[in-house]
Amino acid sequence: MEKMIGDQWDQTFGVTNTLYVTRTNNILFTLMAQFFGKEAINDRLLLFETTEFTTKPDTMLSLVTRIVKDRELGLAFFDDYFLMDVELLSTGARQAIAKQDGARTPMAASQGSYAVGPAHARIRAYDEANGITPMLPPLAPFHSQEWPWRTVASEGEGPETLQEALDQK
C-alpha cells in the first residue's frame, strides 16, 4: 500500500467505523493496522464508533476532518496535538465524581432522584472501610497507539489530563 501511495504515505489516514459490540475485533481496522503499523493507531489510523452498521463517506470525511482540525486547535491552545482527542471536561468531571462519591443519598420519589444528605458521613465511612472507590476509566496519555482505545497508562506519551497539559505548557 505504501508503494501505491508513495511519498504521501505519512500523511495518509485510514478510517473505519464500528458498532460498539465489534470495536475490539473490527476486521477492517485489523486489516488496515497490518499496513499502517502500530505507530499509526489513534494517530492516522482511526476507528470511529457509530450507531450504524454502515456510514456514508461524507459522514466519515466529516469525522476525520473534525479530528484533524481539533488536533490543530489542541496544539494552538494547549501545546498538545492530541489533547482535543479526549473530552476536555474529563479532568474536572473525574475530580467531581471522586469528590462526590458517596455524597448522594437516594431521596423519596416525590423529591427527585438524589441529593446530598445527612447520611453522607456514614456512606463515606462505609465506602472507606470497605475499600469502595469511584469507578472511573483509567487515565492514559492523550497520544497512544493502544488497540483500539486508550486505557493503559504505559502505552503512550504525554499528558493524561487537561491540567497536566496546562502545567507542561
Side-chain angles (χ1 to χ4, degrees):
M1 187 182 290
E2 274 186 70
K3 287 182 181 179
M4 287 175 31
I5 297 174
D7 59 357
Q8 298 294 310
W9 176 250
D10 290 339
Q11 298 171 5
T12 301
F13 279 75
V15 299
T16 187
N17 72 306
T18 185
L19 296 171
Y20 75 95
V21 294
T22 61
R23 63 182 161 224
T24 303
N25 295 307
N26 184 280
I27 295 168
L28 185 53
F29 183 83
T30 302
L31 290 171
M32 289 193 303
Q34 308 313 303
F35 293 99
F36 278 86
K38 183 174 181 163
E39 66 280 353
I41 295 174
N42 298 324
D43 187 354
R44 298 180 302 115
L45 178 57
L46 305 171
L47 181 62
F48 297 134
E49 186 173 333
T50 64
T51 58
E52 302 167 358
F53 186 72
T54 58
T55 304
K56 294 183 168 124
D58 286 346
T59 301
M60 297 294 281
L61 184 58
S62 176
L63 289 169
V64 77
T65 300
R66 190 198 77 228
I67 286 174
V68 170
K69 289 300 176 188
D70 281 353
R71 287 177 174 178
E72 290 176 10
L73 288 172
L75 186 60
F77 287 96
F78 303 108
D79 217 17
D80 189 289
Y81 186 70
F82 293 96
L83 178 75
M84 298 288 286
D85 280 9
V86 298
E87 181 184 350
L88 283 179
L89 299 178
S90 64
T91 301
R94 291 177 71 88
Q95 292 168 347
I97 290 168
K99 181 179 177 183
Q100 292 298 316
D101 177 48
R104 301 184 320 159
T105 58
M107 296 176 63
S110 63
Q111 296 175 303
S113 300
Y114 288 91
V116 175
H120 167 68
R122 286 194 317 270
I123 294 169
R124 172 61 66 197
Y126 177 86
D127 287 353
E128 289 174 0
N130 291 287
I132 298 172
T133 58
M135 185 171 55
L136 299 168
L139 287 173
F142 297 142
H143 187 202
S144 170
Q145 280 82 39
E146 190 179 356
W147 186 293
W149 310 116
R150 299 169 186 88
T151 58
V152 178
S154 63
E155 291 285 325
E157 61 189 20
E160 297 174 351
T161 66
L162 176 58
Q163 190 59 53
E164 284 181 20
L166 293 173
D167 290 346
Q168 291 177 7
K169 191 170 182 183

